[in-house]
CSV table of all heavy atoms in Angstrom, one decimal:
chain,number,residue,atom,x,y,z
A,129,GLY,N,10.0,-20.8,1.4
A,129,GLY,CA,10.0,-19.8,0.4
A,129,GLY,C,8.6,-19.3,0.1
A,129,GLY,O,8.4,-18.1,-0.1
A,130,ALA,N,7.7,-20.2,0.0
A,130,ALA,CA,6.3,-19.8,-0.3
A,130,ALA,C,5.7,-19.1,0.9
A,130,ALA,O,4.8,-18.2,0.7
A,130,ALA,CB,5.5,-21.1,-0.5
A,131,THR,N,6.1,-19.4,2.1
A,131,THR,CA,5.6,-18.6,3.3
A,131,THR,C,6.0,-17.1,3.2
A,131,THR,O,5.1,-16.3,3.5
A,131,THR,CB,6.2,-19.2,4.6
A,131,THR,OG1,5.9,-20.6,4.7
A,131,THR,CG2,5.7,-18.5,5.8
A,132,PHE,N,7.2,-16.8,2.9
A,132,PHE,CA,7.6,-15.4,2.8
A,132,PHE,C,6.8,-14.8,1.6
A,132,PHE,O,6.4,-13.6,1.7
A,132,PHE,CB,9.1,-15.3,2.5
A,132,PHE,CG,9.9,-15.5,3.7
A,132,PHE,CD1,10.5,-16.8,4.0
A,132,PHE,CD2,10.2,-14.5,4.6
A,132,PHE,CE1,11.2,-17.0,5.2
A,132,PHE,CE2,11.0,-14.6,5.7
A,132,PHE,CZ,11.5,-15.9,6.0
A,133,SER,N,6.6,-15.5,0.6
A,133,SER,CA,5.8,-15.0,-0.6
A,133,SER,C,4.4,-14.7,-0.2
A,133,SER,O,3.8,-13.7,-0.6
A,133,SER,CB,5.8,-16.0,-1.7
A,133,SER,OG,5.2,-15.4,-2.9
A,134,GLY,N,3.8,-15.6,0.7
A,134,GLY,CA,2.5,-15.4,1.2
A,134,GLY,C,2.3,-14.1,2.0
A,134,GLY,O,1.4,-13.3,1.9
A,135,PHE,N,3.3,-13.9,2.9
A,135,PHE,CA,3.3,-12.6,3.7
A,135,PHE,C,3.4,-11.4,2.8
A,135,PHE,O,2.6,-10.5,2.9
A,135,PHE,CB,4.6,-12.6,4.6
A,135,PHE,CG,4.4,-13.2,6.0
A,135,PHE,CD1,5.0,-14.4,6.3
A,135,PHE,CD2,3.5,-12.7,6.8
A,135,PHE,CE1,4.9,-14.9,7.6
A,135,PHE,CE2,3.2,-13.2,8.1
A,135,PHE,CZ,4.0,-14.4,8.4
A,136,ALA,N,4.3,-11.4,1.8
A,136,ALA,CA,4.5,-10.3,0.9
A,136,ALA,C,3.2,-10.1,0.1
A,136,ALA,O,2.7,-9.0,-0.1
A,136,ALA,CB,5.7,-10.5,0.0
A,137,GLY,N,2.6,-11.2,-0.4
A,137,GLY,CA,1.4,-11.1,-1.2
A,137,GLY,C,0.2,-10.5,-0.4
A,137,GLY,O,-0.6,-9.6,-1.0
A,138,SER,N,0.1,-10.9,0.8
A,138,SER,CA,-1.1,-10.3,1.6
A,138,SER,C,-0.9,-8.8,1.9
A,138,SER,O,-1.8,-8.1,1.9
A,138,SER,CB,-1.2,-11.1,2.9
A,138,SER,OG,0.1,-11.0,3.7
A,139,ILE,N,0.3,-8.4,2.2
A,139,ILE,CA,0.6,-7.0,2.4
A,139,ILE,C,0.4,-6.2,1.1
A,139,ILE,O,-0.2,-5.1,1.1
A,139,ILE,CB,2.0,-6.8,2.9
A,139,ILE,CG1,2.2,-7.4,4.3
A,139,ILE,CG2,2.4,-5.3,3.0
A,139,ILE,CD1,3.6,-7.3,4.9
A,140,PHE,N,0.8,-6.8,0.0
A,140,PHE,CA,0.7,-6.2,-1.4
A,140,PHE,C,-0.9,-5.9,-1.6
A,140,PHE,O,-1.2,-4.8,-2.1
A,140,PHE,CB,1.3,-7.1,-2.4
A,140,PHE,CG,1.1,-6.6,-3.8
A,140,PHE,CD1,1.9,-5.6,-4.4
A,140,PHE,CD2,0.1,-7.2,-4.6
A,140,PHE,CE1,1.7,-5.2,-5.7
A,140,PHE,CE2,0.0,-6.8,-6.0
A,140,PHE,CZ,0.8,-5.8,-6.5
A,141,ALA,N,-1.7,-6.9,-1.4
A,141,ALA,CA,-3.1,-6.8,-1.6
A,141,ALA,C,-3.7,-5.8,-0.8
A,141,ALA,O,-4.6,-4.9,-1.3
A,141,ALA,CB,-3.8,-8.2,-1.4
A,142,ALA,N,-3.4,-5.8,0.5
A,142,ALA,CA,-4.0,-4.8,1.4
A,142,ALA,C,-3.5,-3.4,1.1
A,142,ALA,O,-4.3,-2.4,1.2
A,142,ALA,CB,-3.7,-5.1,2.9
A,143,LYS,N,-2.3,-3.2,0.7
A,143,LYS,CA,-1.8,-1.9,0.4
A,143,LYS,C,-2.4,-1.3,-0.9
A,143,LYS,O,-2.7,-0.1,-0.9
A,143,LYS,CB,-0.2,-2.1,0.2
A,143,LYS,CG,0.5,-0.7,-0.1
A,143,LYS,CD,2.0,-1.0,-0.1
A,143,LYS,CE,2.7,0.3,-0.4
A,143,LYS,NZ,2.6,0.8,-1.8
A,144,LEU,N,-2.6,-2.2,-1.9
A,144,LEU,CA,-3.3,-1.7,-3.1
A,144,LEU,C,-4.8,-1.6,-3.0
A,144,LEU,O,-5.4,-0.8,-3.7
A,144,LEU,CB,-3.0,-2.6,-4.3
A,144,LEU,CG,-1.6,-2.6,-4.8
A,144,LEU,CD1,-1.5,-3.6,-6.0
A,144,LEU,CD2,-1.1,-1.2,-5.3
A,145,GLN,N,-5.4,-2.3,-2.0
A,145,GLN,CA,-6.8,-2.4,-1.8
A,145,GLN,C,-7.5,-3.0,-3.0
A,145,GLN,O,-8.8,-3.1,-3.0
A,145,GLN,CB,-7.4,-1.0,-1.5
A,145,GLN,CG,-7.0,-0.5,-0.2
A,145,GLN,CD,-7.7,0.8,0.1
A,145,GLN,OE1,-7.3,1.9,-0.3
A,145,GLN,NE2,-8.7,0.7,0.9
A,146,ALA,N,-6.8,-3.5,-4.0
A,146,ALA,CA,-7.4,-4.2,-5.1
A,146,ALA,C,-6.4,-5.0,-5.8
A,146,ALA,O,-5.2,-4.6,-5.9
A,146,ALA,CB,-8.0,-3.2,-6.1
A,147,ILE,N,-6.8,-6.2,-6.3
A,147,ILE,CA,-5.8,-7.1,-7.0
A,147,ILE,C,-6.5,-7.7,-8.2
A,147,ILE,O,-7.7,-7.9,-8.2
A,147,ILE,CB,-5.3,-8.2,-6.1
A,147,ILE,CG1,-6.5,-8.9,-5.3
A,147,ILE,CG2,-4.2,-7.8,-5.2
A,147,ILE,CD1,-6.1,-10.2,-4.6
A,148,THR,N,-5.8,-7.9,-9.3
A,148,THR,CA,-6.2,-8.6,-10.4
A,148,THR,C,-5.3,-9.7,-10.9
A,148,THR,O,-4.1,-9.6,-10.5
A,148,THR,CB,-6.4,-7.5,-11.6
A,148,THR,OG1,-5.1,-7.0,-11.9
A,148,THR,CG2,-7.4,-6.5,-11.3
A,149,PRO,N,-5.7,-10.6,-11.6
A,149,PRO,CA,-4.7,-11.7,-12.1
A,149,PRO,C,-3.6,-11.2,-12.8
A,149,PRO,O,-2.5,-11.8,-12.8
A,149,PRO,CB,-5.7,-12.6,-12.9
A,149,PRO,CG,-7.1,-12.3,-12.5
A,149,PRO,CD,-7.0,-10.9,-12.1
A,150,GLY,N,-3.7,-10.1,-13.6
A,150,GLY,CA,-2.6,-9.6,-14.4
A,150,GLY,C,-1.4,-9.2,-13.5
A,150,GLY,O,-0.3,-9.0,-14.1
A,151,ALA,N,-1.5,-9.0,-12.2
A,151,ALA,CA,-0.4,-8.5,-11.4
A,151,ALA,C,0.5,-9.7,-11.1
A,151,ALA,O,1.5,-9.5,-10.4
A,151,ALA,CB,-1.0,-7.9,-10.1
A,152,PHE,N,0.2,-10.9,-11.4
A,152,PHE,CA,0.9,-12.1,-11.0
A,152,PHE,C,1.4,-12.9,-12.2
A,152,PHE,O,1.4,-14.2,-12.1
A,152,PHE,CB,0.1,-12.9,-10.0
A,152,PHE,CG,-0.4,-12.1,-8.9
A,152,PHE,CD1,-1.8,-11.7,-8.9
A,152,PHE,CD2,0.3,-11.6,-7.9
A,152,PHE,CE1,-2.3,-10.9,-8.0
A,152,PHE,CE2,-0.2,-10.8,-6.8
A,152,PHE,CZ,-1.5,-10.5,-6.9
A,153,GLU,N,1.6,-12.3,-13.3
A,153,GLU,CA,2.0,-13.1,-14.5
A,153,GLU,C,3.5,-13.6,-14.5
A,153,GLU,O,4.2,-13.2,-13.5
A,153,GLU,CB,1.8,-12.2,-15.8
A,153,GLU,CG,0.3,-11.7,-16.0
A,153,GLU,CD,-0.6,-12.9,-16.4
A,153,GLU,OE1,-0.1,-13.9,-16.7
A,153,GLU,OE2,-1.8,-12.7,-16.5
A,154,PHE,N,3.9,-14.3,-15.5
A,154,PHE,CA,5.2,-14.8,-15.6
A,154,PHE,C,6.3,-13.9,-15.4
A,154,PHE,O,7.4,-14.1,-14.9
A,154,PHE,CB,5.3,-15.6,-16.9
A,154,PHE,CG,6.7,-16.2,-17.2
A,154,PHE,CD1,7.2,-17.1,-16.3
A,154,PHE,CD2,7.4,-15.7,-18.3
A,154,PHE,CE1,8.5,-17.7,-16.6
A,154,PHE,CE2,8.7,-16.2,-18.5
A,154,PHE,CZ,9.2,-17.2,-17.7
A,155,ASN,N,6.1,-12.6,-16.0
A,155,ASN,CA,7.1,-11.6,-15.9
A,155,ASN,C,7.5,-11.2,-14.5
A,155,ASN,O,8.6,-10.8,-14.2
A,155,ASN,CB,6.8,-10.4,-16.7
A,155,ASN,CG,5.4,-9.7,-16.2
A,155,ASN,OD1,4.8,-10.3,-15.3
A,155,ASN,ND2,5.0,-8.7,-16.8
A,156,VAL,N,6.6,-11.4,-13.5
A,156,VAL,CA,6.9,-11.1,-12.1
A,156,VAL,C,7.9,-12.2,-11.6
A,156,VAL,O,8.9,-11.8,-10.9
A,156,VAL,CB,5.6,-11.2,-11.2
A,156,VAL,CG1,6.0,-10.9,-9.8
A,156,VAL,CG2,4.7,-10.1,-11.7
A,157,SER,N,7.7,-13.4,-12.0
A,157,SER,CA,8.7,-14.5,-11.5
A,157,SER,C,10.1,-14.2,-12.2
A,157,SER,O,11.1,-14.4,-11.5
A,157,SER,CB,8.2,-15.8,-12.0
A,157,SER,OG,7.0,-16.2,-11.4
A,158,ILE,N,10.1,-13.7,-13.4
A,158,ILE,CA,11.4,-13.4,-14.1
A,158,ILE,C,12.0,-12.2,-13.4
A,158,ILE,O,13.3,-12.3,-13.2
A,158,ILE,CB,11.2,-13.2,-15.5
A,158,ILE,CG1,10.6,-14.5,-16.2
A,158,ILE,CG2,12.4,-12.7,-16.2
A,158,ILE,CD1,11.6,-15.7,-16.1
A,159,MET,N,11.3,-11.2,-13.0
A,159,MET,CA,11.9,-10.1,-12.4
A,159,MET,C,12.5,-10.4,-11.0
A,159,MET,O,13.6,-10.0,-10.7
A,159,MET,CB,10.8,-9.0,-12.2
A,159,MET,CG,11.4,-7.7,-11.7
A,159,MET,SD,10.2,-6.3,-11.6
A,159,MET,CE,9.1,-6.8,-10.3
A,160,LEU,N,11.8,-11.3,-10.3
A,160,LEU,CA,12.3,-11.7,-9.0
A,160,LEU,C,13.5,-12.6,-9.2
A,160,LEU,O,14.5,-12.4,-8.4
A,160,LEU,CB,11.2,-12.5,-8.2
A,160,LEU,CG,10.0,-11.8,-7.8
A,160,LEU,CD1,8.9,-12.7,-7.3
A,160,LEU,CD2,10.3,-10.7,-6.8
A,161,LEU,N,13.6,-13.4,-10.2
A,161,LEU,CA,14.7,-14.2,-10.4
A,161,LEU,C,15.9,-13.3,-10.8
A,161,LEU,O,17.1,-13.6,-10.4
A,161,LEU,CB,14.5,-15.2,-11.6
A,161,LEU,CG,15.5,-16.3,-11.8
A,161,LEU,CD1,15.6,-17.2,-10.5
A,161,LEU,CD2,15.0,-17.2,-13.0
A,162,CYS,N,15.7,-12.3,-11.6
A,162,CYS,CA,16.7,-11.3,-11.9
A,162,CYS,C,17.3,-10.6,-10.7
A,162,CYS,O,18.5,-10.4,-10.5
A,162,CYS,CB,16.2,-10.2,-12.9
A,162,CYS,SG,15.9,-10.8,-14.5
A,163,MET,N,16.4,-10.3,-9.7
A,163,MET,CA,16.9,-9.7,-8.5
A,163,MET,C,17.8,-10.6,-7.7
A,163,MET,O,18.9,-10.2,-7.2
A,163,MET,CB,15.7,-9.4,-7.5
A,163,MET,CG,14.8,-8.4,-8.1
A,163,MET,SD,13.3,-8.2,-6.9
A,163,MET,CE,12.4,-7.0,-7.8
A,164,VAL,N,17.5,-11.9,-7.7
A,164,VAL,CA,18.4,-12.8,-7.0
A,164,VAL,C,19.7,-13.1,-7.7
A,164,VAL,O,20.8,-13.1,-7.1
A,164,VAL,CB,17.7,-14.2,-6.8
A,164,VAL,CG1,18.6,-15.3,-6.2
A,164,VAL,CG2,16.4,-14.0,-5.9
A,165,ILE,N,19.7,-13.2,-9.0
A,165,ILE,CA,20.8,-13.4,-9.8
A,165,ILE,C,21.7,-12.2,-9.9
A,165,ILE,O,23.0,-12.3,-9.7
A,165,ILE,CB,20.5,-13.9,-11.3
A,165,ILE,CG1,19.8,-15.2,-11.2
A,165,ILE,CG2,21.7,-14.0,-12.1
A,165,ILE,CD1,19.2,-15.7,-12.5
A,166,ILE,N,21.2,-11.0,-10.1
A,166,ILE,CA,22.0,-9.8,-10.2
A,166,ILE,C,22.5,-9.4,-8.9
A,166,ILE,O,23.7,-9.0,-8.7
A,166,ILE,CB,21.1,-8.7,-10.8
A,166,ILE,CG1,20.9,-9.0,-12.3
A,166,ILE,CG2,21.8,-7.3,-10.7
A,166,ILE,CD1,20.0,-7.9,-12.9
A,167,GLY,N,21.8,-9.6,-7.8
A,167,GLY,CA,22.3,-9.3,-6.5
A,167,GLY,C,23.3,-10.3,-6.0
A,167,GLY,O,24.3,-9.9,-5.4
A,168,GLY,N,23.1,-11.6,-6.3
A,168,GLY,CA,24.1,-12.6,-5.8
A,168,GLY,C,23.3,-13.7,-5.1
A,168,GLY,O,22.8,-13.6,-4.0
A,169,MET,N,23.2,-14.9,-5.9
A,169,MET,CA,22.4,-16.0,-5.3
A,169,MET,C,23.1,-16.5,-4.0
A,169,MET,O,24.3,-16.7,-3.9
A,169,MET,CB,22.4,-17.1,-6.3
A,169,MET,CG,21.5,-16.8,-7.5
A,169,MET,SD,21.2,-18.3,-8.5
A,169,MET,CE,22.9,-18.7,-9.1
A,170,GLY,N,22.2,-16.6,-3.0
A,170,GLY,CA,22.7,-17.1,-1.7
A,170,GLY,C,23.2,-16.0,-0.7
A,170,GLY,O,23.4,-16.3,0.4
A,171,SER,N,23.3,-14.8,-1.2
A,171,SER,CA,23.8,-13.6,-0.4
A,171,SER,C,22.6,-12.8,0.0
A,171,SER,O,21.9,-12.2,-0.9
A,171,SER,CB,24.8,-12.9,-1.3
A,171,SER,OG,25.1,-11.6,-0.7
A,172,ILE,N,22.4,-12.6,1.3
A,172,ILE,CA,21.3,-11.8,1.7
A,172,ILE,C,21.5,-10.4,1.4
A,172,ILE,O,20.6,-9.7,0.8
A,172,ILE,CB,21.1,-12.0,3.3
A,172,ILE,CG1,20.7,-13.5,3.6
A,172,ILE,CG2,20.0,-11.1,3.8
A,172,ILE,CD1,20.5,-13.8,5.0
A,173,PRO,N,22.7,-9.8,1.7
A,173,PRO,CA,22.9,-8.4,1.2
A,173,PRO,C,22.8,-8.2,-0.2
A,173,PRO,O,22.3,-7.2,-0.7
A,173,PRO,CB,24.3,-8.1,1.7
A,173,PRO,CG,24.6,-9.0,2.8
A,173,PRO,CD,23.8,-10.3,2.4
A,174,GLY,N,23.2,-9.2,-1.0
A,174,GLY,CA,23.1,-9.2,-2.5
A,174,GLY,C,21.7,-9.1,-2.9
A,174,GLY,O,21.4,-8.4,-3.8
A,175,VAL,N,20.9,-10.0,-2.4
A,175,VAL,CA,19.5,-10.1,-2.8
A,175,VAL,C,18.8,-8.8,-2.5
A,175,VAL,O,18.0,-8.3,-3.3
A,175,VAL,CB,18.8,-11.3,-2.2
A,175,VAL,CG1,17.3,-11.2,-2.5
A,175,VAL,CG2,19.3,-12.6,-2.7
A,176,ILE,N,19.0,-8.2,-1.3
A,176,ILE,CA,18.4,-6.9,-0.9
A,176,ILE,C,18.9,-5.8,-1.9
A,176,ILE,O,18.1,-5.0,-2.4
A,176,ILE,CB,18.8,-6.6,0.5
A,176,ILE,CG1,18.2,-7.5,1.5
A,176,ILE,CG2,18.4,-5.2,0.8
A,176,ILE,CD1,18.7,-7.4,2.9
């Protein structure tokens, strides 16, 4: 799970060309958790 997050984080940083600590606060974890729960835990089409 952390490997996929590392890929996404590296692309995110290069795309923005700048990163700050405020972009990785607790609310980001909650938003990602909402995506998984609302889409359907364990369902790949659901998470997408």
Side-chain angles (χ1 to χ4, degrees):
T131 301
F132 284 94
S133 186
F135 271 116
S138 60
I139 296 174
F140 176 79
K143 183 173 181 289
L144 288 183
Q145 292 188 277
I147 48 173
T148 59
F152 311 100
E153 298 289 353
F154 174 64
N155 56 358
V156 176
S157 296
I158 295 300
M159 186 174 71
L160 294 171
L161 192 60
C162 287
M163 293 177 186
V164 175
I165 294 173
I166 291 176
M169 289 192 296
S171 167
I172 295 174
V175 172
I176 294 173

